[in-house]
Amino acid sequence: MNFELSDELKALQAKVRSFIRDEVMPLESDPRQTPHGPTEELRNELVALARKKGLLTLHASREMGGAELSHVAKAVIFEEAGYSPLGPTALNIHAPDEGNVHLMDVVASEAQKERWLRPLVEGKTRSCFAMTEPSPGAGSDPSMLSTTAVRDGDDYIINGKKWFITGAEGAAFAIIMARTDDGNATMFLTDTDRPGFIVDRMMDVMDSCFTGGHGVVRFENLRVPATDILGEIGKGFRYAQVRLAPARLTHCMRWLGAAQRAHDEACRYASTRESFGKRLGEHQGVGFMLADNEMDMLTTRLAIMHCAWVLDKGERGNTESSMAKVISSESIWRVIDRSVQVLGGQGVSGENVVEKIFKDARGFRIYDGPNEVHRMSLARKILARNTDKSKG
Ligand SMILES: Cc1cc2nc3c(=O)[nH]c(=O)nc-3n(C[C@H](O)[C@H](O)[C@H](O)COP(=O)(O)OP(=O)(O)OC[C@H]3O[C@@H](n4cnc5c(N)ncnc54)[C@H](O)[C@@H]3O)c2cc1C
């Protein structure tokens, strides 16, 4: 693969970089940030800034008003956005909207696109994706899905409970994964103001970077017309792969930007702060941490770029995105943790952005498939390959 970026992409990268530095980073201490993410007011303000600069929802299709970025282009732009905890919100490329935009661009009907996707791409609404359930429902193992959708005339009646649903509070619509009568999983689109769609409570989760936080959502005889099925009935798990493989890669991209920020903060401190007669970075113990950070980030960037290249060729990229997810979430975590260490007390205080990045990024080893589950599926493929070889 060719690592040279086109002039057009380099120009867009420079534009996003200066937007994040000049317009987004000054808002990082804005008091309109809560334990459940930036308030709607702050989000709308950030989105308006990006809209004015022509930087909103760039990954969406041109038909819907985006720039239809390739996966490689997303790798470059989303990393830039991730440099500030508020960047992905401003550019309207944060989870879960980013993945929902991608899925709906691929799967939704024209009528569904006009009704739900267009306002989402325009940054006028937010959405959520409801799959995970409390025990004994779906978690790491999606086949344990217990939410049901039962046919009633031209409608489906949905019952069940979901949790950890990012952005549920304040979302205009949801994509719900439910089990239909034939036992298969189906995705349903629904406005959240329909009777029977209930946000029970907000969960206290470690991160605070997603507007709408993470909610516990209950469906109590939620009536959804059959016309609001997303894609085809019974194809829910297949569509989950359409959504999840690229979506987990975009998490890698955004968190790499965050890791770069943490590292830059650590480098700045290590080159000015002194201890025991020299600058911190001149102590081998600190210098080696900075060197390890750069090697971890290079490995991550290469894994992301490789997977993006595979996806751009039109391949499913499931193996590559599993590998990239595990490599990235673990190396990014090491970079951020080392940066905290280099920053000393500041690294664990709200005085420095790295403390927030540390708390925001930890979940990434769990969501979009815990790393152990990705390792399990990689191991299965390796074994199957070698079993075939030994038979041959
Ligand atoms: C911040 C955050 C945001 C989220 N947002 C959403 C959202 O918007 N929508 C949504 O539907 N869900 C969301 N989730 C849920 C997330 O997808 C699940 O937490 C994840 O799939 C794991 O499911 P679980 O929590 O039920 O863990 P469990 O399934 O209970 O697993 C617990 C742990 O067991 C281990 N484990 C499980 N299976 C295996 C195995 N086969 N081998 C080895 N170890 C294993 C793993 O370490 C795993 O972390 C979010 C989660 C978080 C933390």
Side-chain angles (χ1 to χ4, degrees), residues 96 128-135 137-141 162-167 205 207 210 214 243 360 363-373 376 380:
C128 63
F129 183 79
M131 181 148 121
T132 306
E133 300 162 340
S135 185
S140 304
D141 182 356
K162 305 279 185 182
W163 68 352
F164 289 102
I165 306 309
T166 306
V205 176
D207 63 56
F210 300 98
H214 310 281
R243 183 184 186 279
D360 285 349
F364 185 35
R365 279 164 54 199
I366 295 166
Y367 52 73
D368 278 13
N371 287 7
E372 294 72 22
V373 175
M376 177 189 74
R380 280 184 183 158

Side-chain angles (χ1 to χ4, degrees), residues 16 20 43 47 50 55-60 69 73-84 86-99 101 120-121 123 210 247 250-251 253-254:
V16 173
I20 296 292
R43 175 194 175 266
V47 162
L55 292 176
L56 207 59
T57 333
L58 295 175
H59 63 296
L69 294 183
K74 278 191 265 185
V76 174
I77 300 308
F78 287 19
E79 182 185 338
E80 293 297 332
Y83 198 73
S84 167
L86 294 173
T89 300
L91 268 63
N92 202 24
I93 55 162
H94 223 334
D97 293 330
E98 181 273 325
V101 164
L120 186 64
V121 171
F210 300 98
T250 59
H251 271 305
M253 299 165 183
R254 290 181 294 258

Side-chain angles (χ1 to χ4, degrees), residues 160-355:
K161 188 171 182 179
K162 305 279 185 182
W163 68 352
F164 289 102
I165 306 309
T166 306
E169 179 68 47
F173 72 94
I175 299 173
I176 300 172
M177 183 82 113
R179 200 179 283 287
T180 29
D181 307 342
D182 60 359
N184 288 319
T186 296
M187 285 188 182
F188 292 85
L189 282 157
T190 182
D191 291 318
T192 54
D193 60 2
R194 274 189 183 137
F197 187 104
I198 302 150
V199 179
D200 262 339
R201 64 181 170 90
M202 300 291 278
M203 302 174 81
D204 285 327
V205 176
M206 225 167 146
D207 63 56
S208 60
C209 57
F210 300 98
T211 296
H214 310 281
V216 178
V217 182
R218 191 159 38 93
F219 313 122
E220 234 178 62
N221 295 321
L222 172 67
R223 183 174 284 275
V224 177
T227 47
D228 293 350
I229 286 177
L230 178 57
E232 288 176 44
I233 191 154
K235 296 223 170 131
F237 288 137
R238 221 179 88 194
Y239 296 149
Q241 288 314 311
V242 171
R243 183 184 186 279
L244 290 179
R248 73 172 70 99
L249 192 66
T250 59
H251 271 305
C252 302
M253 299 165 183
R254 290 181 294 258
W255 289 127
L256 177 58
Q260 181 70 55
R261 175 71 179 282
H263 175 64
D264 287 352
E265 293 287 328
C267 290
R268 225 184 324 274
Y269 192 66
S271 49
T272 51
R273 173 74 165 154
E274 297 201 351
S275 80
F276 300 96
K278 50 186 171 183
R279 294 184 306 161
L280 277 184
E282 289 164 10
H283 292 285
Q284 192 182 61
V286 173
F288 277 18
M289 285 199 268
L290 301 179
D292 287 342
N293 276 359
E294 299 225 341
M295 288 188 276
D296 268 335
M297 287 192 292
L298 177 65
T299 315
T300 300
R301 206 167 276 119
L302 290 173
I304 292 172
M305 275 295 189
H306 175 251
C307 181
W309 175 73
V310 167
L311 291 172
D312 279 338
K313 285 198 298 175
E315 294 174 23
R316 284 177 67 196
N318 279 354
T319 299
E320 291 79 3
S321 82
S322 276
M323 287 188 181
K325 196 268 174 175
V326 174
I327 292 168
S328 302
S329 59
E330 293 178 4
S331 55
I332 282 165
W333 178 248
R334 288 192 296 269
V335 170
I336 298 168
D337 184 54
R338 285 188 206 108
S339 302
V340 166
Q341 194 67 20
V342 170
L343 282 160
Q346 276 198 65
V348 289
S349 86
E351 309 280 310
N352 192 290
V353 70
V354 176
E355 180 250 10

Side-chain angles (χ1 to χ4, degrees), residues 80-138:
E80 293 297 332
Y83 198 73
S84 167
L86 294 173
T89 300
L91 268 63
N92 202 24
I93 55 162
H94 223 334
D97 293 330
E98 181 273 325
N100 289 347
V101 164
H102 172 75
L103 175 66
M104 291 173 75
D105 249 331
V106 177
V107 173
S109 69
E110 290 310 311
Q112 291 170 344
K113 283 183 186 173
E114 286 308 320
R115 179 170 167 193
W116 283 299
L117 181 55
R118 194 175 290 286
L120 186 64
V121 171
E122 288 171 349
K124 292 179 181 160
T125 56
R126 289 194 297 100
S127 63
C128 63
F129 183 79
M131 181 148 121
T132 306
E133 300 162 340
S135 185

